[in-house]
Amino acid sequence: MTFLNPLLLLAGLGVALPILAHLLNRYRVQHTPWAAMQFLNRSVRVRSRQLRLRDLLLLLLRCSAVLLLALALSRPATNDSDGSWLPGERRAGVVIALDASFSMQHSDGQSTRFERALEQIDVISARIHTGDPVTLVLLGGEHRVVIRNMAYESEKFHDILQKQRVSAESLDLDSVPKRLHELAEDMIAHQKEIYIVSDIQSHDWQPRSERLRETLQELDGAASVFLVPVSGSEDNLAVTDLSLVSGTLRKGTVARYRATVRNYGTNPVSDVEVQCRVDGVQIDSKRISLVHPGASETVSLFVPFHNAGATRITAEVTGDSLPTDNVRRVVAVVRDRVSVLCVDGSSGDAGRLIISALLARNEGAEDKDYIVRSVPWLAFPGEDLEYVDVVVMANVPEITPVQAQQLSRFVRKGNGLVWFAGDQVKIAEWNKRSESANEADGAVATPLLPAVIEQVVDNSDAIGAGKPLDPNMPDHLLCRPLQSLPADLLSETRFVKHLKVQPAATSVTVLNVAGSESPILIEHSLGRGHVVMFTTSADATWNNMALTPVFPMLMQQVVTYLVGREFEQPRVVGDSLSLSYTEQPNASDAVFDTPSKNTIDVPVREYRSQYVAMLENAQEAGFYVARVSVQAPGVPIAVNVDTRESDVACLPETELRTVFDDTGITIVTTETELLSAIEAERTGQSSWRFFMLLGLTFLIAESLFADRLLSKQLSRSQSTESTEVRQDV
Amino acid sequence: MSEHLPQTNYLDPEVLQRLGGLELVAREIVEGLRVGTHRSPLRGFSTEFAHHRQYVPGDAIRTIDWRVYGRTDRYYTKLYEAETNFDCYILIDASSSMNYASGKVSKLEYAKYLAASLAYLVLRQRDSVGLSIFDSEVRAYLPPRSSMGIIMEIDRLLRDVKPTPRTSIAKQLHDIALMIKRRSLVVLISDLFSDVDDILAGLDHLRFNGHDVVVLHTLDTHELEFPFKGAWCFEGLEEEEPLTTQAERIREEYLTNFNEYMEALRAGCVSSQIDYTTVNTALPLDDVLSEFVVKRQAMLNGGRG
């Protein structure tokens, strides 16, 4: 027998009270001489032996009542295995973990996995007794406890359950056992059960099967664990990517976006239409004839920008079993105009090459909205950067501290800086200026450049050819145009010299020299802007980049990247969304509108000489709108689902059973199995009601007995007396 | 007090002091004085002057003390011993039932003190007092005398009294009635635990013989209140069969029966012109005595028109 409240067994010590009372007031009859005997009612006569027997019986009843009540309060429970004959109820505290990740929205045509999960929970809840503690937790990226240790009440529970919805999050399976363990520990019940109702996706469970086996087995020590898989078909298409490939985000231009569609299912899918919408209006559509199972196909979507401002762009497929991952979103901030200022430290070649690469048009063509100018480096102090979006420093020997701070402020405001190496560059001076660029503002010293320059490295071989680019590129916006280049074309770009640099902690290496880890292109964010650093020259002295298509593609992409805003980068559900300010805003809170039209106020906090409002854990997929205040116009931020969850293939039942064989964890797939499993596992019986009733019965019996016995004696004696009187007469 | 108080067991000087100048008066004397007959039933008895009393209409003119009038301009009547002297018999029930005590003092002990104090009171007012102690029969008898020396004998007798079981009080009363020749004041100190009718018959016998009867019904406070709780075994003092019972269960009935009995006794005494007083042995003796004497005087004077 086990006890839920073992300390309350100490109440059994109360049995000492009736015993003490019995001993203290033990039925020793008190004696007294008495003169007025004639006035005493001799019919109320009690014999000592009778008194002793009665008293002992009453003592027994009282002691039994106290012991039984103490036992009841301690909430005893027995197991069937004990062979207990005690009556009781099979009660248990229940923790229900319902997978609410977006894969549960997958439909087989009749119902979604989530709906089938709710049906299973109905079966589970039908076996919960009113008053037993129940906890309901929705599993996802963050596991949300909906009900915690609530005394079960069927109607109330079902009301709450029906209001639950699938989230856009993916499942963080690693943290599930620990969370469930905490919830089980927090529950007070002599027997506990944990039901994990999930689609048991292979991509989640298979790689973690050993660890899950161990952790869930540990969990089984705290409670009986039931795995209730709600599987479904594996067919699913998802748009896994939508990204800018090329083009400048300027009004009047057309940008090329790449949409990637992946088939997570086991059957090929043909004739997939990918629709592109801009601010909700469909502007392009492409068809993919066939997407093989497990394969991805990309389509190019051309997006014209007729207006300036933040633009919501989506790529979507339709008619799929899981709609949540059928759409991918990005935001593009289309500018009215872009202005690039090239500061040329060379004899003028660098500037010309940069202008050519950026404009990439026949000489004479003009675009009033896209201005690219080059000035000698000595003329830089006289330039007004107010209307410049990107500054390109090409082979500039040095800058003054004031100029360094000016550039730092320029970038932190949200603009871009491109830096090219060259023969004129004074390494020590640049390092010094880079380090001290932010000091005057009292900010934490994020250097201006993304790396510390060390020395010039000569890559030329015997024939004087340099090294090519490393074809292995990260998935960075800057690299994307190059990824579509043929390998031989890419390898034509050769680097004879470059600067060996030590990247800063905040930097991202974009391109490397082949065969080494020396970056050719490295970038970092500084405030709201970015600094892109080429460790090679813009002119042809250190490389032949300008003679290949790489340079213009790269330069245009660089400018596009630099004129973009942070919120243009799409986020994934679960990420934090931030809004940063260079100056202290008037309002103390920023406002985030969610895709479901809710409003969330977020306080603005100072962080590294900036002011940031951060919304943690974006829970919905869609376009959020961030405002500096309620009245201010908002900027959209795209939030997409994590497509790892799109692989909806479920771990087969046989494999699941194999993984959890001999762990004590029960796997149930049907309603019948579930009911049998509950019946089999719920061996404990709570007998407290039985003991409580018995204890109260003994108490009532004791008081009735005490009263009735003497009344009986009285009436018996009175009838004897009246019989004697009649006889006398 | 002017007299020297003899050394006795049962006379408490403080009690006596508190009693002050109280007098125990016989009913007939008062009645005689009231109607002005003033005739002593005992002719030829001593006519020794006793004391003065204020003249009341009806008194014989010859009894007016003219010298006192000359001095005070007020009329006073001379009283003689023959007019005021009476015999007082104190009857003490020394049966076993009188031996009950809930506290330190038993009823019998209390009765002894009561009797001694009464005897002293009577002797102080120059009346005669005698004593009779009885249980199943008269154990001791002292004829009435008026000298203070009798107090020592009374004290001795009281000291030697040992309670013994009694059969019937009525019989003793009848016997005593036969013994007392002269009309007297008879004071009965007893718990009267016997048949009411028998007791009243005995008392009536005494009244019939012309005696002034006073009943001091002496009871213990527990007998009056019955405060017992729990299981008690009551062991009869008069050799009755013991009774083990639940005290709370019988209390109400006991009190009903007891009060009925007392009421019957009281009613019987009143109808026979017997002065009946309940004496609670828990109360101070002087309070009991003074209250009794004052009440008696008031009762006796109350008939004056």
Side-chain angles (χ1 to χ4, degrees):
Chain A
M1 185 182 280
T2 56
F3 298 93
L4 197 57
N5 303 319
L7 284 178
L8 286 178
L9 281 172
L10 291 173
L13 292 174
V15 76
L17 290 171
I19 293 173
L20 201 64
H22 172 77
L23 292 172
L24 288 174
N25 295 326
R26 198 162 41 167
Y27 229 98
R28 67 175 186 272
V29 175
Q30 298 175 82
H31 289 256
T32 183
W34 188 247
M37 292 298 288
Q38 68 208 72
F39 305 107
L40 300 178
N41 185 352
R42 287 185 172 271
S43 62
V44 184
R45 184 191 293 268
V46 183
R47 294 188 193 84
S48 295
R49 196 182 302 167
Q50 205 172 357
L51 285 169
R52 278 200 296 274
L53 181 64
R54 188 201 83 150
D55 204 45
L56 279 172
L57 213 54
L58 285 173
L59 175 67
L60 195 65
L61 284 171
R62 283 173 197 145
C63 290
S64 302
V66 169
L67 287 172
L68 287 167
L69 289 173
L71 206 56
L73 288 174
S74 65
R75 303 286 291 273
T78 52
N79 280 321
D80 283 350
S81 56
D82 295 342
S84 171
W85 49 269
L86 282 170
E89 298 163 304
R90 291 173 184 262
R91 303 181 80 105
V94 172
V95 176
I96 300 174
L98 172 59
D99 186 349
S101 61
F102 77 77
S103 64
M104 294 291 284
Q105 197 61 21
H106 189 273
S107 168
D108 63 357
Q110 292 177 342
S111 59
T112 65
R113 294 176 182 185
F114 194 73
E115 284 162 357
R116 294 197 293 281
L118 291 180
E119 284 169 12
Q120 293 289 51
I121 292 174
D122 282 342
V123 174
I124 295 165
S125 65
R127 288 292 180 272
I128 304 175
H129 288 265
T130 302
D132 281 347
V134 63
T135 295
L136 175 65
V137 56
L138 296 185
L139 303 177
E142 268 196 10
H143 310 306
R144 286 184 293 122
V145 180
V146 178
I147 302 170
R148 191 180 194 113
N149 290 333
M150 179 184 85
Y152 179 74
E153 201 185 322
S154 177
E155 204 176 312
K156 189 175 172 185
F157 177 79
H158 283 94
D159 276 345
I160 294 169
L161 190 65
Q162 292 310 315
K163 288 178 185 162
Q164 303 314 310
R165 297 287 178 265
V166 176
S167 70
E169 296 169 332
S170 52
L171 178 62
D172 176 11
L173 187 56
D174 290 324
S175 61
V176 166
K178 187 182 171 194
R179 191 73 178 103
L180 294 180
H181 193 269
E182 283 168 6
L183 291 171
E185 285 289 303
D186 192 41
M187 182 173 276
I188 298 174
H190 72 86
Q191 186 169 359
K192 301 174 194 176
E193 294 167 358
I194 297 174
Y195 296 85
I196 304 173
V197 187
S198 168
D199 52 3
I200 317 280
Q201 286 172 276
S202 297
H203 80 92
D204 265 335
W205 288 72
Q206 200 159 48
R208 299 176 177 82
S209 59
E210 278 307 308
R211 195 164 67 248
L212 279 171
R213 184 190 158 89
E214 282 172 25
T215 51
L216 289 180
Q217 200 168 7
E218 279 173 23
L219 190 60
D220 198 51
S224 301
V225 178
F226 297 80
L227 281 179
V228 186
V230 280
S231 58
S233 72
E234 299 169 352
D235 296 331
N236 184 35
L237 281 181
V239 180
T240 57
D241 183 60
L242 176 65
S243 51
L244 175 68
V245 176
S246 62
T248 311
L249 302 178
R250 265 187 316 117
K251 186 177 84 170
T253 63
V254 175
R256 183 164 74 98
Y257 280 82
R258 179 188 68 203
T260 306
V261 176
R262 183 178 172 82
N263 181 1
Y264 287 96
T266 52
N267 298 310
V269 182
S270 60
D271 198 26
V272 177
E273 186 188 6
V274 181
Q275 296 172 351
C276 180
R277 295 176 201 278
V278 174
D279 289 333
V281 177
Q282 185 175 332
I283 50 92
D284 196 4
S285 168
K286 292 286 191 302
R287 284 194 177 273
I288 304 172
S289 58
L290 185 70
V291 187
H292 291 282
S296 296
E297 298 293 337
T298 59
V299 292
S300 293
L301 300 168
F302 292 91
V303 181
F305 297 119
H306 302 298
N307 301 302
T311 306
R312 295 170 172 82
I313 305 168
T314 60
E316 187 176 345
V317 296
T318 56
D320 179 56
S321 305
L322 180 60
T324 313
D325 55 5
N326 288 351
V327 60
R328 203 78 185 163
R329 305 167 187 85
V330 294
V331 169
V333 176
V334 179
R335 291 169 173 264
D336 278 324
R337 54 195 272 291
V338 174
S339 170
V340 181
L341 176 67
C342 180
V343 181
D344 193 350
S346 68
S347 55
D349 290 338
R352 278 195 297 278
L353 287 167
I354 288 167
I355 289 171
S356 299
L358 286 175
L359 293 179
R361 59 167 68 88
N362 294 332
E363 198 171 327
E366 286 183 3
D367 187 340
K368 64 177 172 57
D369 293 330
Y370 191 32
I371 301 164
V372 184
R373 295 185 299 117
S374 180
V375 298
W377 73 282
L378 290 170
F380 175 60
E383 288 295 323
D384 181 5
L385 301 182
E386 177 71 23
Y387 298 103
V388 175
D389 298 302
V390 178
V391 168
V392 181
M393 289 266 164
N395 199 14
V396 172
E398 59 182 334
I399 54 173
T400 66
V402 172
Q403 288 169 347
Q405 285 165 14
Q406 183 191 16
L407 281 173
S408 175
R409 277 196 301 275
F410 172 77
V411 174
R412 285 196 280 122
K413 264 170 52 176
N415 298 304
L417 172 66
V418 185
W419 189 92
F420 279 97
D423 291 326
Q424 307 299 319
V425 166
K426 293 180 183 173
I427 293 173
E429 289 301 312
W430 270 106
N431 281 338
K432 211 184 337 180
R433 296 292 170 256
S434 174
E435 277 299 314
S436 63
N438 292 319
E439 280 174 3
D441 294 343
V444 174
T446 306
L448 179 64
L449 297 178
V452 174
I453 308 166
E454 290 179 353
Q455 66 211 38
V456 179
V457 173
D458 192 336
N459 297 318
S460 57
D461 56 17
I463 58 171
K467 290 185 180 171
L469 280 171
D470 185 348
N472 295 318
M473 300 172 193
D475 185 23
H476 194 288
L477 179 65
L478 294 175
C479 310
R480 280 183 199 151
L482 305 182
Q483 288 166 349
S484 58
L485 280 178
D488 53 352
L489 194 57
L490 188 68
S491 67
E492 280 187 16
T493 306
R494 295 274 169 163
F495 299 91
V496 175
K497 273 196 226 176
H498 73 278
L499 290 175
K500 186 175 177 214
V501 296
Q502 178 60 44
T506 54
S507 64
V508 174
T509 300
V510 182
L511 293 171
N512 284 321
V513 173
S516 75
E517 288 183 0
S518 293
I520 283 293
L521 177 58
I522 187 170
E523 67 97 2
H524 77 167
S525 63
L526 182 66
R528 295 170 60 191
H530 289 261
V531 177
V532 174
M533 182 179 184
F534 284 90
T535 59
T536 188
S537 65
D539 56 26
T541 52
W542 288 19
N543 59 69
N544 66 345
M545 201 167 47
L547 304 176
T548 69
V550 168
F551 194 57
M553 291 171 80
L554 208 48
M555 283 310 297
Q556 288 182 22
Q557 197 69 353
V558 164
V559 169
T560 300
Y561 179 68
L562 291 175
V563 301
R565 288 289 178 263
E566 192 176 323
F567 48 80
E568 289 176 286
Q569 301 303 317
R571 299 287 191 268
V572 171
V573 170
D575 283 352
S576 302
L577 310 181
S578 63
L579 192 60
S580 53
Y581 313 72
T582 50
E583 293 164 351
Q584 186 169 8
N586 292 329
S588 58
D589 287 346
V591 177
F592 285 80
D593 297 331
T594 69
S596 60
K597 311 291 181 224
N598 292 319
T599 301
I600 303 172
D601 292 336
V602 178
V604 178
R605 292 200 166 89
E606 193 177 345
Y607 177 71
R608 290 188 178 188
S609 77
Q610 290 184 89
Y611 295 88
V612 178
M614 184 176 289
L615 173 68
E616 293 187 11
N617 189 25
Q619 292 180 346
E620 299 175 38
F623 290 104
Y624 282 73
V625 176
R627 303 169 196 277
V628 297
S629 65
V630 176
Q631 295 86 12
V635 289
I637 305 173
V639 178
N640 295 306
V641 294
D642 185 348
T643 51
R644 287 178 300 173
E645 190 71 15
S646 298
D647 183 357
V648 296
C650 304
L651 197 65
E653 188 187 327
T654 48
E655 198 171 329
L656 188 65
R657 289 187 190 278
T658 306
V659 168
F660 292 103
D661 190 30
D662 283 338
T663 57
I665 293 162
T666 309
I667 297 166
V668 288
T669 51
T670 64
E671 186 178 325
T672 315
E673 262 187 45
L674 182 56
L675 289 171
S676 304
I678 294 172
E679 202 65 29
E681 280 292 320
R682 204 172 282 182
T683 54
Q685 286 193 131
S686 173
S687 310
W688 75 271
R689 283 182 201 267
F690 167 72
F691 286 112
M692 179 69 75
L693 279 171
L694 203 56
L696 290 172
T697 305
F698 270 62
L699 268 181
I700 294 167
E702 185 267 341
S703 30
L704 285 176
F705 180 67
D707 253 359
R708 195 170 164 74
L709 189 70
L710 286 180
S711 304
K712 239 191 204 170
Q713 285 179 344
L714 182 59
S715 63
R716 200 186 303 132
S717 301
Q718 281 175 346
S719 71
T720 307
E721 193 183 300
S722 58
T723 308
E724 288 171 355
V725 168
R726 282 198 296 276
Q727 285 175 352
D728 288 343
V729 172
Chain B
M1 287 170 24
S2 55
E3 301 92 346
H4 170 68
L5 187 64
Q7 201 75 10
T8 58
N9 290 305
Y10 297 104
L11 280 178
D12 187 339
E14 285 182 22
V15 169
L16 296 178
Q17 189 155 18
R18 281 190 222 115
L19 288 176
L22 288 177
E23 288 186 357
L24 186 61
V25 188
R27 180 187 292 273
E28 279 70 20
I29 303 296
V30 175
E31 285 176 350
L33 288 172
R34 195 182 327 125
V35 302
T37 57
H38 203 60
R39 200 184 306 171
S40 168
L42 302 168
R43 292 183 189 192
F45 196 72
S46 166
T47 56
E48 186 178 337
F49 171 76
H51 56 86
H52 289 100
R53 180 178 55 77
Q54 197 163 9
Y55 172 81
V56 293
D59 286 348
I61 301 298
R62 60 180 174 85
T63 65
I64 295 174
D65 192 333
W66 296 109
R67 267 185 281 187
V68 171
Y69 173 73
R71 282 202 300 275
T72 64
D73 278 341
R74 287 193 185 133
Y75 297 105
Y76 281 92
T77 304
K78 288 185 199 170
L79 294 176
Y80 299 89
E81 277 195 16
E83 293 170 330
T84 62
N85 185 268
F86 63 88
D87 290 343
C88 177
Y89 281 86
I90 298 175
L91 310 180
I92 298 178
D93 179 356
S95 62
S96 297
S97 66
M98 286 292 286
N99 206 28
Y100 177 74
S102 64
K104 289 180 186 170
V105 177
S106 68
K107 288 186 287 185
L108 183 59
E109 280 299 298
Y110 197 95
K112 291 177 186 177
Y113 278 94
L114 191 56
S117 300
L118 272 171
Y120 184 81
L121 208 63
V122 170
L123 288 170
R124 195 182 64 178
Q125 64 193 45
R126 294 194 176 82
D127 289 318
S128 301
V129 66
L131 180 71
S132 177
I133 301 172
F134 65 91
D135 43 52
S136 56
E137 53 189 67
V138 177
R139 292 291 171 194
Y141 174 74
L142 267 181
R145 293 212 304 273
S146 60
S147 64
M148 195 53 81
I150 195 174
I151 204 74
M152 300 303 294
E153 290 178 57
I154 289 173
D155 190 74
R156 181 180 54 80
L157 274 180
L158 290 175
R159 193 184 60 225
D160 293 339
V161 165
K162 296 285 181 285
T164 50
R166 176 199 63 219
T167 50
S168 168
I169 188 175
K171 179 181 174 303
Q172 313 317 319
L173 290 175
H174 287 300
D175 290 345
I176 290 168
L178 293 171
M179 283 166 62
I180 301 174
K181 302 299 179 193
R182 188 179 165 189
R183 285 186 196 175
S184 306
L185 173 64
V186 178
V187 180
L188 173 62
I189 305 174
S190 170
D191 55 12
L192 300 177
F193 283 151
S194 190
D195 182 75
V196 172
D197 294 331
D198 286 349
I199 294 168
L200 288 173
L203 292 171
D204 281 343
H205 189 173
L206 285 166
R207 276 302 289 160
F208 181 75
N209 289 353
H211 303 300
D212 184 7
V213 182
V214 173
V215 171
L216 297 178
H217 191 181
T218 308
L219 294 165
D220 189 276
T221 192
H222 278 195
E223 289 166 343
L224 288 166
E225 292 168 3
F226 202 79
F228 301 96
K229 284 185 179 153
W232 284 84
C233 178
F234 296 94
E235 294 160 349
L237 285 166
E238 298 285 356
E239 295 180 341
E240 298 101 326
E241 193 187 334
L243 173 67
T244 304
T245 186
Q246 281 278 39
E248 301 97 321
R249 299 256 173 216
I250 63 168
R251 182 170 184 269
E252 199 178 323
E253 200 173 340
Y254 167 86
L255 290 174
T256 304
N257 292 343
F258 192 80
N259 289 331
E260 278 175 6
Y261 145 81
M262 287 194 47
E263 190 48 44
L265 263 179
R266 187 196 314 274
C269 287
V270 166
S271 69
S272 301
Q273 289 189 313
I274 296 169
D275 192 357
Y276 172 88
T277 299
T278 307
V279 174
N280 185 342
T281 58
L283 298 176
L285 184 64
D286 51 338
D287 288 348
V288 167
L289 265 177
S290 54
E291 190 182 329
F292 159 66
V293 170
V294 167
K295 240 174 56 178
R296 181 176 167 78
Q297 276 184 347
M299 185 264 296
L300 293 177
N301 290 335
R304 204 178 291 182

